[in-house]
Amino acid sequence: MAEQPFLERILISQEQIKQRVAELGREISTDYKGKKPLFVGILRGGIIFYADLLREISIDCNMDFMSLSSYAGTKSTGEVRTMLDLRESIKGRHVVIVEDIVDTGLTLDYLMKSLADRGAASIEICCLLDKPCNRKVDVSPKYVGFTIENEFVIGYGLDYNELYRNLPYIGVFKK
Ligand code: 5GP
């Protein structure tokens, strides 16, 4: 690949992502057999992972979406807001939240609290990337694609100022 001015290096290749997403799909399909889970995709960063993961799910399931915001550039603002809420009730449902990356954990902590009193049968988190070294609150995703160091990454849904979401791999952003 030609050198890209915004890219420090490729961290996770297209092939590695494909393989891991298929593994996660198999694992979740086994765990939720007979439960018709509701997969909640978090816009916008989680959407490419969501679309690939859902095609690896082999059981009946439903889809819904939420949009949350907390980042500006490469820094979390720490203040999370709901930009778009779920269309459907989650009462009695087994919910799997599908997110791109857990960093400080503030976004998912906010989300878990906002869903807590809606009567779901269960709520678990599936994230493609986990940056546990940067955690500020206790959030433990059940399904994790890759655990990474504290670096700002782009691609496969993840942006820098709304660019680079379309890259098919995950790369470290060159500041
Ligand atoms: P948290 O609230 O856990 O700090 O961050 C969650 C959100 O911040 C993610 O959904 C993602 O949109 C954004 N984020 C965290 N780390 C990164 C990163 O390394 N790269 C990009 N592009 N976004 C990130």
Side-chain angles (χ1 to χ4, degrees):
M1 197 193 65
E3 200 170 298
Q4 306 273 20
F6 56 81
L7 192 67
E8 189 78 46
R9 66 183 192 282
I10 294 180
L11 188 64
I12 307 169
S13 71
Q14 197 170 356
E15 198 45 49
Q16 286 172 300
I17 296 172
K18 192 167 184 278
Q19 208 179 332
R20 186 69 189 117
V21 171
E23 283 169 9
L24 285 172
R26 281 196 294 274
E27 193 183 340
I28 294 171
S29 300
T30 303
D31 290 356
Y32 285 85
K33 198 160 184 242
K35 292 185 172 165
K36 201 164 80 171
L38 174 68
F39 288 94
V40 173
I42 307 300
L43 305 172
R44 279 166 282 196
I47 204 63
I48 292 182
F49 174 44
Y50 184 95
D52 284 346
L53 179 69
L54 268 277
R55 281 175 286 185
E56 301 291 346
I57 299 292
S58 56
I59 55 171
D60 282 350
C61 61
N62 297 119
M63 299 164 77
D64 207 343
F65 299 93
M66 284 182 86
S67 175
L68 306 171
S69 91
S70 79
Y71 257 63
T74 60
K75 290 268 173 291
S76 172
T77 62
E79 186 198 324
V80 185
R81 284 179 299 155
T82 302
M83 314 301 279
L84 174 79
D85 208 340
L86 296 170
R87 286 177 69 151
E88 309 289 336
S89 161
I90 58 169
K91 198 161 193 303
R93 300 300 307 271
H94 292 280
V95 175
V96 181
I97 296 167
V98 181
E99 173 65 307
D100 51 1
I101 183 165
V102 187
D103 184 16
T104 61
L106 290 169
T107 305
L108 282 169
D109 184 57
Y110 165 90
L111 182 60
M112 293 300 265
K113 283 178 181 150
S114 100
L115 297 183
D117 57 358
R118 298 193 197 184
S122 67
I123 307 181
E124 296 291 355
I125 297 164
C126 173
C127 63
L128 181 69
L129 303 173
D130 190 9
K131 275 202 256 186
C133 50
N134 213 20
R135 214 56 117 247
K136 289 192 178 141
V137 286
D138 187 23
V139 170
S140 315
K142 179 161 184 190
Y143 305 99
V144 175
F146 303 91
T147 300
I148 63 169
E149 300 297 318
N150 190 15
E151 294 179 296
F152 192 82
V153 290
I154 51 169
Y156 199 69
L158 290 148
D159 74 311
Y160 170 71
N161 281 346
E162 293 304 328
L163 284 175
Y164 316 124
R165 292 191 195 275
N166 56 317
L167 299 174
Y169 51 80
I170 289 164
V172 176
F173 182 65
K174 194 189 267 180
K175 290 212 176 81

